[in-house]
Amino acid sequence: MPGTHIEDLSQHVGGDVELHGWLYNKRSSGKIRFLLLRDGTGVVQCVMMKGNISEELFASFDQLTQESSFSVKGKVRKDERAPGGFEIELSALKIHQIAKEYPITPKEHGVEFLADRRHLWLRSARQHAIMRVRHTIIKAIRDFFDGRGFTLVDSPILTPNAVEGTTTLFETEYFDLGKAYLTQSGQLYAEAGAMAFGKVYCFGPTFRAEKSKTRRHLSEFWMVEPEVAFNDLNDNIELAEEFLEYIVQTVLKNRAEELKNLERNTTFLENVKKPLARISYDEAVEILKKKGVAFEWGNDFGGTDETVISEQFDRPVIVHRYPAKIKAFYMKRDPLNPELALAVDVLAPEGYGEIIGGSQREDDLDVLLQRIAEHKLPQSAFEWYLDLRRFGSVPHSGFGLGIERTVGWICGLDHVRETIPFPRMIYRLAP
Amino acid sequence: MPGTHIEDLSQHVGGDVELHGWLYNKRSSGKIRFLLLRDGTGVVQCVMMKGNISEELFASFDQLTQESSFSVKGKVRKDERAPGGFEIELSALKIHQIAKEYPITPKEHGVEFLADRRHLWLRSARQHAIMRVRHTIIKAIRDFFDGRGFTLVDSPILTPNAVEGTTTLFETEYFDLGKAYLTQSGQLYAEAGAMAFGKVYCFGPTFRAEKSKTRRHLSEFWMVEPEVAFNDLNDNIELAEEFLEYIVQTVLKNRAEELKNLERNTTFLENVKKPLARISYDEAVEILKKKGVAFEWGNDFGGTDETVISEQFDRPVIVHRYPAKIKAFYMKRDPLNPELALAVDVLAPEGYGEIIGGSQREDDLDVLLQRIAEHKLPQSAFEWYLDLRRFGSVPHSGFGLGIERTVGWICGLDHVRETIPFPRMIYRLAP
């Protein structure tokens, strides 16, 4: 049954093909009628010329409604004027099913209306472009690490401890073992992986039961987290730079058409090349002060602060060495100033906020024990993690990149809800 | 800090390198001492010759215990007798941390002892081989679909309905929307994807809260599920054949060393080439009867039945057209015999059981409505799924392949617990 795909028509010019798909649109002009067929790989117009084909076949034009499924046979013609550059001189048509009153029409629909019909909304040209960019980003991420000798070490989704409280955790009963919690990050497991394989990454869904209703929050989102033994903060920053360059340049190269369809101005994306801008937290605070933002040293940056900082740069900006107090217990302190953590965030330009967060990890057992106590965390939950410092501890670093924020930034989207096939948010669990 | 990796030593013969890693083993013989350094990419012996290096440096040999972390500098020498073919003439050594009483010694340990120390067990040669094969399988899967024009459409993990009862589902509170359930399969979402993109796959973790304690069951496992519009059962079988051939031949080609370390007899793996063996359910039942197995037509095959069937073949066997009664509601019936579903399973040889399960899907709205009623499923939960039959329904097919069973089969393992970095089973949620 397979037949030919629209994306391969250039190999069949002058030949006869069979195509299968759905009606994207149709138009009529006197004796000539056009069926726009979409098959998931593209859209092509099929031409019906009165007199050239049977009356019955010509009449099937009227039956076909938007998203009806049908197959056609016909000759492939190169035509500069046609969308996609080719058209089909239709000689046979078989209708599979007539769609009655397809709800998503070319007119404007509200976002909730579309979100309720996400399973159909995915058929639209805009969603196609976004999902193709998403796929390319994910492939680029895996290719980047696979090509550099990293080993994939999938971290578990079900985890046994709620070490920082359960307020942002999804929990479930786990047989007779009590509660399990959906992972918020695979990092600690990736660290175990790095001690075994040197260079590793994990890549999977992560969860936050945050009661946020912003355009940047999903309760289920995908994250990639590389972790490298013997990498210090500087090595980590260099890895993040190369990584971002690779992702963005791969999308620009392979998804130019999609970015054009999304009307994405790619100027800032083209700038994503090593070296990116690098500033310390202190320098970032200076920027905020110069711009008249009321901000106190020691606080974490809010969304608006991030936007003000990133607006000063024409590419992503790396911010390093944050106050240790606002960062996680496992981050190593700066030997030159123990008030600072060897943390690094990368802020995307154009107000897209933090897309990468990482650090060098504390590798000294005694210091880490002290941090766990200071943060009032239960040491027992970390015994296995502490083993990584007991048995061959080494300097190591890593970071996490959120896929959906990256898709949103690269595609230039207002809201993360379009960046994943079936988004999960505080008010949305369906379809 | 990065230095050189052991896997790249062949490019540095005669040159000086710096290596970072952990002590895998050591041995001494008169004036010469050997440190076996592992760095995650391989193991290399570092040679210390009394008289050639300082007394202090020579004495550091005694300090180093198994899994202690250290860095060395030295000259790379090609040596056929050395493990890996190279050795390091050590000139400098820096100890990072001395591991005290590393619990996993070269002696035999019980499986529970090792499983409790999974974060350390991953450092062993056997686990390295398995995880590298796993990585290669996952990469081969993605490369296969990416190279054939499939679009990745990630299905959601949190889903709103428990349509077949909650006994094998993990559930969690989802904000104010009631319960959410961890996905058991992305298939229904992949079908929506196929109607949008033609050829799609989803690939992520799936969950079963099954109270099984067998060597084939994990409560959290990864699954890849391709779904193709306009593919019938036969197209689906051909796709599965090509897919399995690609995965297995890629592992044989790229992970020969690892399979050798696992002492895997690869005879049956080498046979995984198109066409595989194909039999109907009826023919499979005949085989069981001939072999004297008490089996009644209409039942599903148990683990032992699968083993008896698959033992008749020297490669995976495709079993198609099962009794509809034992298969899911969404499977299309065989037009030649409506008692049969257009289902297909692939059984791995050597007793590894079902690794692929799939079918052609029911594409007629009215028939599907009837099936939902027959299976006493709540229609409301499937309204979005039924939309796929209302708006441009087409013949389509797909299948799922479980990653861990595939890893177990290809590596020749007795139990799935070694096929994933951090296994989750009825009695195991940690580390």
Side-chain angles (χ1 to χ4, degrees):
Chain A
M1 186 151 199
T4 301
H5 285 102
I6 292 170
E7 65 184 355
D8 302 323
L9 283 179
S10 64
Q11 300 158 31
H12 298 272
V13 177
D16 284 302
V17 294
E18 184 173 20
L19 299 172
H20 310 289
W22 297 266
L23 189 76
Y24 192 64
N25 213 336
K26 63 181 183 180
R27 61 197 170 84
S28 176
S29 123
K31 285 185 189 169
I32 190 162
R33 290 175 169 188
F34 300 97
L35 294 172
L36 282 157
L37 174 76
R38 69 163 191 89
D39 74 348
T41 74
V43 174
V44 70
Q45 71 180 18
C46 307
V47 188
M48 308 170 93
M49 190 80 79
K50 195 161 188 160
N52 285 10
I53 56 173
S54 71
E55 278 296 320
E56 194 194 340
L57 182 50
F58 195 72
S60 58
F61 177 91
D62 296 321
Q63 280 182 267
L64 285 169
T65 55
Q66 193 192 346
E67 286 301 319
S68 289
S69 48
F70 64 109
S71 299
V72 299
K73 286 181 182 168
K75 198 182 287 295
V76 182
R77 265 204 316 241
K78 208 169 156 67
D79 189 328
E80 299 290 328
R81 300 160 305 170
F86 302 96
E87 63 179 24
I88 306 294
E89 205 175 313
L90 194 145
S91 59
L93 187 153
K94 189 192 164 197
I95 293 174
H96 298 294
Q97 195 250 349
I98 296 295
K100 283 183 196 146
E101 298 175 49
Y102 185 69
I104 304 177
T105 58
K107 71 166 192 179
E108 284 278 314
H109 295 284
V111 161
E112 287 305 306
F113 179 91
L114 292 169
D116 286 340
R117 290 158 188 81
R118 184 64 175 167
H119 53 293
L120 304 175
W121 190 20
L122 286 172
R123 301 181 185 185
S124 76
R126 177 180 162 86
Q127 300 306 315
H128 267 227
I130 297 169
M131 290 304 134
R132 290 224 173 85
V133 171
R134 178 186 168 94
H135 184 178
T136 299
I137 289 170
I138 291 171
K139 181 169 160 50
I141 288 169
R142 292 187 179 265
D143 287 348
F144 179 86
F145 291 120
D146 293 347
R148 279 162 181 75
F150 282 65
T151 300
L152 173 68
V153 178
D154 292 307
S155 55
I157 309 299
L158 294 164
T159 59
N161 300 111
V163 294
E164 303 192 61
T166 59
T167 47
T168 64
L169 286 174
F170 290 108
E171 64 177 39
T172 184
E173 291 295 330
Y174 193 83
F175 303 109
D176 299 329
L177 300 182
K179 302 268 187 216
Y181 305 90
L182 300 192
T183 184
Q184 295 198 315
S185 157
Q187 180 203 315
L188 305 195
Y189 293 96
E191 287 185 53
M195 300 303 124
F197 295 93
K199 296 176 280 183
V200 301
Y201 69 103
C202 61
F203 193 170
T206 51
F207 303 84
R208 302 244 168 118
E210 245 178 284
K211 287 186 175 141
S212 301
K213 208 192 141 186
T214 82
R215 61 192 178 84
R216 286 184 190 174
H217 283 89
L218 292 169
S219 52
E220 175 182 318
F221 57 101
W222 287 66
M223 187 147 69
V224 60
E225 293 169 278
E227 189 75 31
V228 184
F230 299 101
N231 259 12
D232 63 16
L233 180 68
N234 205 47
D235 302 321
N236 202 33
I237 290 173
E238 278 180 24
L239 183 69
E241 281 183 329
E242 276 176 36
F243 177 60
L244 279 181
E245 171 173 340
Y246 185 82
I247 295 172
V248 173
Q249 297 304 324
T250 300
V251 174
L252 286 174
K253 196 174 127 200
N254 299 335
R255 294 293 170 203
E257 184 79 15
E258 282 78 6
L259 293 177
K260 203 178 138 201
N261 291 345
L262 292 166
E263 298 176 348
R264 178 68 169 124
N265 179 337
T266 57
T267 313
F268 281 12
L269 295 176
E270 282 152 25
N271 290 339
V272 182
K273 288 193 176 157
K274 249 181 101 169
L276 302 179
R278 285 193 202 185
I279 57 172
S280 66
Y281 171 89
D282 287 3
E283 289 167 324
V285 172
E286 280 309 305
I287 288 174
L288 290 177
K289 286 191 172 157
K290 261 188 205 151
K291 292 285 154 187
V293 179
F295 184 88
E296 204 180 326
W297 193 99
N299 288 342
D300 205 357
F301 301 127
T304 319
D305 304 322
E306 287 179 353
T307 301
V308 173
I309 297 163
S310 66
E311 270 172 6
Q312 311 313 307
F313 302 91
D314 67 350
R315 64 197 65 203
V317 55
I318 289 160
V319 186
H320 54 81
R321 293 180 173 77
Y322 283 70
K325 275 191 187 165
I326 55 168
K327 289 291 182 183
F329 75 95
Y330 51 71
M331 293 190 181
K332 195 176 176 69
R333 299 291 172 95
D334 187 349
L336 300 176
N337 179 355
E339 272 191 58
L340 299 179
L342 293 175
V344 55
D345 285 356
V346 182
L347 310 181
E350 302 166 87
Y352 282 96
E354 183 199 320
I355 44 167
I356 279 182
S359 73
Q360 183 168 343
R361 319 306 187 185
E362 180 52 65
D363 50 81
D364 183 277
L365 177 64
D366 293 328
V367 176
L368 193 56
L369 281 167
Q370 191 188 321
R371 298 276 174 263
I372 286 172
E374 280 166 15
H375 281 74
K376 298 190 170 44
L377 298 169
Q379 187 184 320
S380 62
F382 292 101
E383 286 300 337
W384 72 267
Y385 181 66
L386 291 163
D387 275 355
L388 307 178
R389 278 68 180 172
R390 290 183 183 110
F391 304 115
S393 189
V394 304
H396 63 291
S397 303
F399 60 81
L401 171 121
I403 304 310
E404 285 71 22
R405 283 201 190 170
T406 306
V407 174
W409 160 49
I410 293 181
C411 289
L413 308 180
D414 288 340
H415 198 295
V416 285
R417 73 185 146 225
E418 286 183 85
T419 61
I420 187 167
F422 295 93
R424 297 296 181 243
M425 294 170 291
I426 182 164
Y427 296 126
R428 177 158 301 280
L429 180 60
Chain B
M1 186 150 197
T4 301
H5 285 102
I6 292 170
E7 66 184 355
D8 301 323
L9 283 179
S10 64
Q11 299 158 33
H12 298 272
V13 177
D16 284 302
V17 295
E18 183 173 20
L19 298 172
H20 310 290
W22 297 265
L23 189 76
Y24 192 65
N25 213 337
K26 63 181 184 180
R27 61 198 170 83
S28 176
S29 123
K31 287 184 188 169
I32 190 163
R33 290 176 170 187
F34 299 96
L35 294 172
L36 282 157
L37 174 76
R38 70 162 190 88
D39 74 348
T41 75
V43 175
V44 69
Q45 70 181 19
C46 306
V47 187
M48 307 169 95
M49 189 81 78
K50 195 161 188 157
N52 286 9
I53 54 174
S54 71
E55 278 296 320
E56 193 194 342
L57 182 51
F58 194 72
S60 57
F61 176 89
D62 296 322
Q63 280 182 268
L64 285 169
T65 56
Q66 193 192 346
E67 286 301 318
S68 289
S69 48
F70 64 110
S71 299
V72 300
K73 286 182 182 168
K75 197 181 288 295
V76 183
R77 265 203 318 239
K78 207 169 156 68
D79 189 329
E80 299 291 328
R81 300 159 305 170
F86 301 96
E87 62 177 24
I88 305 294
E89 204 175 315
L90 193 144
S91 58
L93 187 152
K94 189 191 163 197
I95 293 173
H96 298 293
Q97 195 251 350
I98 296 297
K100 282 182 197 145
E101 298 175 48
Y102 185 68
I104 304 178
T105 58
K107 72 165 191 178
E108 283 281 313
H109 295 284
V111 161
E112 286 306 306
F113 179 91
L114 292 169
D116 285 340
R117 289 155 188 83
R118 184 62 175 169
H119 53 292
L120 304 175
W121 190 19
L122 286 172
R123 301 181 185 185
S124 77
R126 176 180 164 86
Q127 300 307 314
H128 267 227
I130 297 169
M131 290 304 135
R132 289 224 173 85
V133 170
R134 177 186 168 96
H135 184 177
T136 299
I137 289 171
I138 291 171
K139 180 168 161 50
I141 288 170
R142 294 188 179 263
D143 286 348
F144 179 86
F145 292 120
D146 293 347
R148 280 161 180 77
F150 283 65
T151 300
L152 173 68
V153 178
D154 293 308
S155 55
I157 309 300
L158 293 164
T159 59
N161 300 112
V163 295
E164 303 192 61
T166 57
T167 48
T168 64
L169 287 174
F170 290 107
E171 64 178 38
T172 184
E173 292 295 330
Y174 193 83
F175 303 110
D176 298 332
L177 301 181
K179 301 268 187 219
Y181 305 90
L182 299 192
T183 184
Q184 295 199 314
S185 156
Q187 180 202 315
L188 305 194
Y189 293 96
E191 288 186 53
M195 300 303 124
F197 295 94
K199 296 175 281 184
V200 301
Y201 68 104
C202 61
F203 194 169
T206 52
F207 303 85
R208 301 245 169 116
E210 246 178 281
K211 289 187 175 142
S212 302
K213 208 192 141 185
T214 82
R215 60 191 179 84
R216 287 184 189 174
H217 283 89
L218 292 169
S219 52
E220 174 181 320
F221 57 101
W222 287 67
M223 189 150 65
V224 59
E225 294 170 277
E227 190 75 32
V228 183
F230 299 102
N231 260 12
D232 63 17
L233 180 68
N234 206 47
D235 302 322
N236 203 32
I237 290 173
E238 278 179 24
L239 183 69
E241 280 182 329
E242 276 175 36
F243 176 60
L244 279 181
E245 173 174 340
Y246 185 82
I247 295 172
V248 174
Q249 297 304 325
T250 301
V251 174
L252 286 173
K253 197 174 127 201
N254 299 335
R255 293 294 171 203
E257 183 78 16
E258 282 78 5
L259 293 177
K260 204 177 136 199
N261 291 346
L262 292 166
E263 298 176 347
R264 178 69 169 125
N265 179 337
T266 58
T267 312
F268 282 12
L269 295 176
E270 281 152 26
N271 290 339
V272 182
K273 288 193 175 156
K274 250 181 100 168
L276 302 179
R278 284 192 203 186
I279 57 172
S280 66
Y281 171 90
D282 288 1
E283 290 166 323
V285 173
E286 280 309 306
I287 288 174
L288 289 177
K289 286 190 173 158
K290 260 187 207 154
K291 293 283 154 188
V293 180
F295 184 89
E296 205 181 326
W297 194 99
N299 288 342
D300 205 357
F301 302 127
T304 319
D305 304 321
E306 286 179 355
T307 301
V308 173
I309 297 162
S310 66
E311 269 172 5
Q312 311 313 309
F313 302 91
D314 67 350
R315 63 197 65 203
V317 55
I318 289 160
V319 186
H320 54 82
R321 293 179 173 79
Y322 283 72
K325 276 192 185 162
I326 54 167
K327 287 291 182 183
F329 75 95
Y330 51 71
M331 293 191 181
K332 194 176 176 71
R333 299 290 172 96
D334 186 349
L336 300 176
N337 180 354
E339 272 190 57
L340 299 178
L342 294 174
V344 55
D345 285 357
V346 182
L347 310 181
E350 304 165 87
Y352 283 96
E354 184 200 320
I355 44 167
I356 280 184
S359 73
Q360 184 167 343
R361 319 306 188 185
E362 181 52 66
D363 51 80
D364 184 278
L365 177 64
D366 294 327
V367 175
L368 194 56
L369 281 166
Q370 192 187 318
R371 298 275 175 263
I372 287 172
E374 281 167 12
H375 281 76
K376 299 192 171 42
L377 298 169
Q379 188 184 321
S380 61
F382 292 100
E383 285 302 337
W384 72 268
Y385 181 67
L386 291 163
D387 276 355
L388 308 178
R389 278 69 181 172
R390 291 185 182 107
F391 305 115
S393 189
V394 304
H396 62 291
S397 302
F399 60 81
L401 171 123
I403 303 311
E404 285 72 21
R405 283 201 190 171
T406 306
V407 174
W409 161 49
I410 292 180
C411 289
L413 308 179
D414 288 339
H415 198 293
V416 285
R417 72 185 148 223
E418 286 182 85
T419 61
I420 186 165
F422 295 93
R424 297 297 181 238
M425 295 169 291
I426 182 163
Y427 296 126
R428 177 158 301 281
L429 179 61

